[in-house]
Amino acid sequence: MASLMDETSAEPTDDNVGIPSDAAADPAPIDPESERHQLTAQIGEWARSLVLEPDDLVLKVIVDEALRIIPGADYASLSIVSRDDLIRSRAPSDLVPERLDALQSELHEGPCFDSIREHRIVRVPDLTDPTPWPRFASSAVAEGVRSMLAFQLFVEVDSLGALNLYSNTPRAFDQKSEDIGSGVAAHASLALANAQKQGQLYEAVASRDLIGQAKGILMERHKISEHEAFLLLTKVSSKTNTKLREVAEEFVRTGALPGTITD
């Protein structure tokens, strides 16, 4: 989506009038390419540090790092596509992004929503200018937010969500913000995808362990085989319309199977 990109530049001023030339010597210029490589290495380092960390910690670190290194951001958050295909705000740095994320999900409109569904990057220089999301924009301005930058988080063809940046200043985000943010979003996508995969793996292992414990208790208590114990658990699950893992968890915790079993 194209956004208004009117940029302004300040004229340089001579602050060194009356100062000897040797004292007023300009500092050595920063090589943009060297700075870019340094930032890339830094982003890659924290992304690697997130391997095998739990989902919630990964989300918080992504938001904290985005605020720290992306120029112009006052607030940050993540909008994550859940398994039921709903978009939920995660790890907001403040109540402001939390409320605005929720509003975009409710209205099905806004920069973050568009970033997830349609575009890789959405930059909004000034929310008081006409936008495709008038209802959202007016609410954002009422919260004090004037500009936004959103990056789609994706792995291959799957959209995981968006990294959302908010600023109280108009035109706070420039091309440098976009370039650095793109690097953060790329590494964040991989870290988040890995965390979600690990989370699913841990959940599957935990479920298997719980079901195994429940079967063991049933086998000991009723002197039945492992297969018969499993059939009993699945019968309870079907009869009570409860997930097998939840049936096993309750049985292990309370010693009683939910519902009444009749042969």
Side-chain angles (χ1 to χ4, degrees):
M1 176 187 65
S3 59
L4 301 177
M5 304 295 289
D6 299 334
E7 302 293 339
T8 59
S9 59
E11 292 294 326
T13 58
D14 187 0
D15 295 325
N16 299 317
V17 176
I19 300 177
S21 58
D22 56 343
D26 292 334
I30 299 174
D31 179 12
E33 188 67 16
S34 174
E35 184 182 25
R36 185 178 68 82
H37 283 307
Q38 185 177 358
L39 273 171
T40 299
Q42 185 179 353
I43 294 168
E45 183 63 32
W46 70 253
R48 284 189 293 274
S49 73
L50 297 178
V51 174
L52 301 182
E53 293 291 355
D55 197 350
D56 287 345
L57 178 60
V58 170
L59 298 178
K60 184 180 185 307
V61 171
I62 290 171
V63 167
D64 289 347
E65 285 298 304
L67 275 176
R68 188 175 69 84
I69 67 176
I70 300 175
D74 291 315
Y75 314 110
S77 66
L78 291 160
S79 295
I80 302 300
V81 180
S82 60
R83 293 180 185 176
D84 51 11
D85 207 32
L86 296 177
I87 299 173
R88 293 185 170 88
S89 180
R90 299 287 302 275
S93 64
D94 189 270
L95 289 175
V96 170
E98 183 176 12
R99 287 193 291 264
L100 293 180
D101 286 356
L103 180 62
Q104 290 181 83
S105 186
E106 177 187 336
L107 297 176
H108 284 204
E109 70 168 42
C112 309
F113 195 86
D114 279 8
S115 177
I116 292 171
R117 297 301 188 197
E118 300 177 22
H119 306 280
R120 297 288 170 85
I121 302 173
V122 179
R123 181 167 18 143
V124 189
D126 193 339
L127 283 159
T128 63
D129 292 337
T131 74
W133 332 280
R135 293 180 295 172
F136 168 75
S138 62
S139 296
V141 171
E143 291 274 10
V145 172
R146 292 292 301 275
S147 55
M148 288 183 62
L149 183 59
F151 299 89
Q152 186 187 61
L153 303 179
F154 69 97
V155 177
E156 296 178 351
V157 297
D158 295 328
S159 179
L160 305 173
L163 169 62
N164 314 314
L165 304 174
Y166 299 84
S167 177
N168 297 327
T169 305
R171 294 176 170 78
F173 302 109
D174 55 16
Q175 189 60 48
K176 183 176 181 180
S177 305
E178 195 169 308
D179 291 343
I180 295 174
S182 294
V184 172
H187 284 84
S189 297
L190 295 174
L192 179 57
N194 184 70
Q196 290 180 342
K197 189 178 297 183
Q198 291 295 329
Q200 291 166 6
L201 176 61
Y202 293 149
E203 184 178 341
V205 170
S207 296
R208 186 183 64 191
D209 289 347
L210 271 173
I211 293 168
Q213 290 178 53
K215 286 192 300 182
I217 295 171
L218 286 170
M219 290 165 63
E220 175 64 24
R221 181 179 297 178
H222 300 290
K223 307 305 178 185
I224 57 179
S225 69
E226 181 179 359
H227 179 64
E228 289 171 324
F230 183 73
L231 288 178
L232 182 56
L233 289 171
T234 56
K235 188 174 182 180
V236 173
S237 174
S238 177
K239 184 177 180 66
T240 61
N241 195 27
T242 306
K243 291 181 179 178
L244 183 61
R245 183 190 190 281
E246 294 173 3
V247 170
E249 183 177 17
E250 181 174 342
F251 179 61
V252 170
R253 186 179 70 252
T254 67
L257 289 167
T260 301
I261 303 301
T262 58
D263 294 323

